[in-house]
Amino acid sequence: MSFEHLNLDERLLKAVEACGFQEPTPIQQQAIPVILDGEDLMGSAQTGTGKTAAFVLPILHQLLQRKPTKKSIGPRCLVVAPTRELAQQVEKDVTAFSKFIKCPQGSLVGGVAYGPQIQMLKRPVDVLIATPGRLLDHMGQGRLDFSRLEFLVLDEADRMLDMGFIGDIRRIVAAVPEQRQTLLFSATLEGQVLRMAQSFLKDPESIQLTSNVKKHEQISQRIHWADDATHKHHLLAHYVKTEDVTQAVIFTATKRGADALVSHLQRQGNEVAVLHGDLKQTARKKTMDQMHHGKIKLLVATDIAARGLDFKNLSHVFNFDLPNTAEDYIHRIGRTGRADATGTAISLVCRKDWDALVSIERLTGQKLHRDLIEGLEPRSSEPKTRSTLGNAGRSWKPRRRGGSLMRRRRR
Ligand code: ADP
Ligand code: MG
């Protein structure tokens, strides 16, 4: 199937071509016709499968097709996303796809000055992309007029729930017109996300392309059992030196852990940057740009920073610490193996990560491959009882990897 079959405006097709997209991804093939039909939609598909274009293109098409219903300068389309990086990613896509049309857009995200945002809101805007907190700030000051709003998109809805935004989303939904088309995207459509979708969407179509989601089949995943943090440092150093890591994100549990790891890696002579919630927006943006341009090989990040990250050449994701929730694990490793690329996700697991490992394996229904590096074998071993997967892992044997460089014993 080609984009031509989707009945999109010529100018949008031209922009799609300029982006170098050859054919629509499965979620795009399925979602675009539904959205063009004016239906509410809840969609789930693996991260990196092109959900952004799946909603941006048909929305832009409809904005081109019809005149605004009311005389107002307020947004005709509001996209709400959990983090500023993610909002910026959506903004970038809207800019790219509206290359050949007139579609004023703006964003309201936290961590940046209010002034320019206030100025932006005084001019007509068609597509507004926002994170919940900052949007509500502006709404509270009466700066938003939603009278001509036609589209509401809740992107990464599961993540917004994880981040405790449910009350914020309710307030936002309550403030926009009843008469609208609502789209919700999420990595999964279960539990609370599903209930949220049912309360905010009208008779929605549902598209779930999650069969491979949880497995992330294009991503090779493995874990190393580690004795302690020192052991983790040795394992990571081995990988950074020996595997063909072109570019990697290394996740830590805390900001402090991230800073400490950065110092550690720098001392070993690596070029490394850090991304976490304490950084000023300008510093974050600089780091993101440097990653995009391949100027930095290693990026240490916390979960908050994970969502919007989209680096084309990311070969590896390392979990220096496992995340607290299995969903976060899925999101983290989804940073690599984007679109058609393959990627590698390596997790360093010690005693304190054990519970997290159990819940990840339960959620994915998959036992992660245990790997060993010669000379860097753990002294301790994993707890024996694996209540989650029963005997599924019994026949498993560790794969030994050649480690001539590391033959020297660590201790
Ligand atoms: P998701 O929201 O599902 O995680 P994104 O919309 O961020 O995924 O898209 C992931 C990557 O795939 C982006 O770099 C995007 O430019 C690219 N992409 C999207 N659609 C296509 C397509 N049809 N062909 C090629 N690349 C695409
Ligand atoms: Mg997305």
Side-chain angles (χ1 to χ4, degrees):
M1 196 206 226
S2 76
F3 275 101
E4 276 77 27
H5 290 106
L6 292 169
N7 297 320
L8 292 165
D9 189 283
E10 283 298 326
R11 292 161 288 179
L12 297 176
L13 291 178
K14 221 169 115 187
V16 166
E17 203 188 325
C19 288
F21 295 2
Q22 311 262 317
E23 57 173 40
T25 63
I27 186 78
Q28 291 163 3
Q29 290 180 24
Q30 296 193 32
I32 292 174
V34 172
I35 301 172
L36 288 177
D37 265 354
E39 301 285 342
D40 278 8
L41 169 74
M42 48 184 180
S44 69
Q46 197 166 344
T47 41
T49 52
K51 291 191 283 298
T52 322
F55 66 80
V56 172
L57 288 170
I59 289 176
L60 291 179
H61 178 90
Q62 295 186 79
L63 291 177
L64 284 168
Q65 292 277 303
R66 51 186 195 231
K67 291 245 163 337
T69 46
K70 293 236 168 51
K71 260 208 152 72
S72 151
I73 59 163
R76 298 176 67 190
C77 168
L78 172 66
V79 180
V80 186
T83 66
R84 44 193 167 188
E85 274 80 20
L86 193 74
Q88 281 158 351
Q89 198 63 45
V90 175
E91 208 190 347
K92 221 177 83 208
D93 282 7
V94 174
T95 309
F97 297 135
S98 56
K99 189 169 178 193
F100 303 106
I101 59 175
K102 190 166 160 271
C103 174
Q105 64 176 97
S107 76
L108 300 176
V109 297
V112 298
Y114 280 80
Q117 296 182 349
I118 294 169
Q119 290 311 310
M120 182 268 290
L121 289 173
K122 288 179 181 161
R123 295 186 296 269
V125 56
D126 281 352
V127 179
L128 185 67
I129 301 132
T131 50
R134 184 59 68 96
L135 175 62
L136 283 165
D137 276 2
H138 286 287
M139 285 165 61
Q141 298 300 314
R143 296 191 190 110
L144 277 143
D145 174 358
F146 287 126
S147 60
R148 63 167 191 168
L149 190 111
E150 297 162 63
F151 297 94
L152 173 66
V153 182
L154 303 172
D155 198 12
E156 309 260 4
D158 52 335
R159 181 63 165 189
M160 293 206 274
L161 290 178
D162 286 350
M163 292 173 71
F165 287 144
I166 182 68
D168 289 357
I169 309 269
R170 280 216 185 87
R171 283 156 65 201
I172 294 164
V173 172
V176 301
E178 202 39 40
Q179 184 73 8
R180 59 166 198 264
Q181 189 175 357
T182 312
L183 312 172
L184 177 146
F185 291 89
S186 175
T188 55
L189 283 176
E190 294 154 6
Q192 210 193 347
V193 186
L194 188 61
R195 285 196 295 280
M196 171 162 112
Q198 284 159 345
S199 69
F200 298 151
L201 278 60
K202 279 194 207 98
D203 203 8
E205 290 277 332
S206 167
I207 299 176
Q208 298 198 46
L209 301 177
T210 41
S211 55
N212 290 334
V213 172
K214 293 178 174 177
K215 292 198 176 143
H216 269 310
E217 277 166 356
Q218 82 286 26
I219 300 173
S220 144
Q221 302 172 56
R222 49 186 199 258
I223 72 159
H224 282 273
W225 186 256
D227 296 326
D228 49 28
T230 311
H231 190 190
K232 287 186 176 186
H233 282 298
H234 287 291
L235 289 163
L236 185 62
H238 166 86
Y239 274 116
V240 168
K241 269 195 222 106
T242 56
E243 281 250 324
D244 31 346
V245 177
T246 51
Q247 202 173 42
V249 175
I250 307 162
F251 286 100
T252 60
T254 63
K255 292 171 203 163
R256 266 185 57 208
D259 288 331
L261 183 56
V262 167
S263 318
H264 209 95
L265 286 164
Q266 279 170 341
R267 280 200 299 276
Q268 292 167 354
N270 296 296
E271 258 183 64
V272 50
V274 67
L275 203 63
H276 58 54
D278 276 357
L279 297 172
K280 288 249 159 55
Q281 183 60 8
T282 46
R284 291 161 80 93
K285 183 155 184 314
K286 187 169 157 229
T287 302
M288 300 283 278
D289 286 346
Q290 287 176 323
M291 280 293 283
H292 276 299
H293 295 116
K295 293 199 177 114
I296 300 174
K297 183 170 148 186
L298 303 178
L299 178 69
V300 176
T302 57
D303 283 300
I304 286 292
R307 260 310 171 102
L309 297 183
D310 180 18
F311 305 118
K312 289 229 157 55
N313 301 316
L314 205 68
S315 60
H316 287 68
V317 165
F318 291 99
N319 290 312
F320 192 81
D321 306 299
L322 279 181
N324 289 327
T325 71
E327 284 80 6
D328 279 334
Y329 174 82
I330 308 278
H331 296 316
R332 283 184 181 187
I333 70 167
R335 299 307 100 202
T336 184
R338 310 279 286 171
D340 282 337
T342 53
T344 304
I346 298 172
S347 301
L348 308 178
V349 181
C350 68
R351 201 77 212 196
K352 75 169 176 52
D353 303 296
W354 173 248
D355 287 344
L357 179 67
V358 169
S359 68
I360 289 163
E361 294 191 328
R362 186 186 295 146
L363 181 80
T364 58
Q366 206 182 9
K367 187 170 165 72
L368 295 173
H369 179 82
R370 269 62 172 170
D371 208 348
L372 288 175
I373 294 171
E374 216 178 312
L376 288 175
E377 295 91 346
R379 275 169 298 180
S380 59
S381 54
E382 263 182 65
K384 282 279 178 296
T385 16
R386 298 200 49 82
S387 53
T388 53
L389 290 173
N391 290 334
R394 280 285 165 78
S395 61
W396 160 82
K397 288 235 169 37
R399 179 162 59 97
R400 295 188 89 87
R401 299 171 53 81
S404 54
L405 280 171
M406 300 303 289
R407 198 141 292 176
R408 199 166 16 94
R409 296 278 311 181
R410 183 162 51 90
R411 47 193 173 254

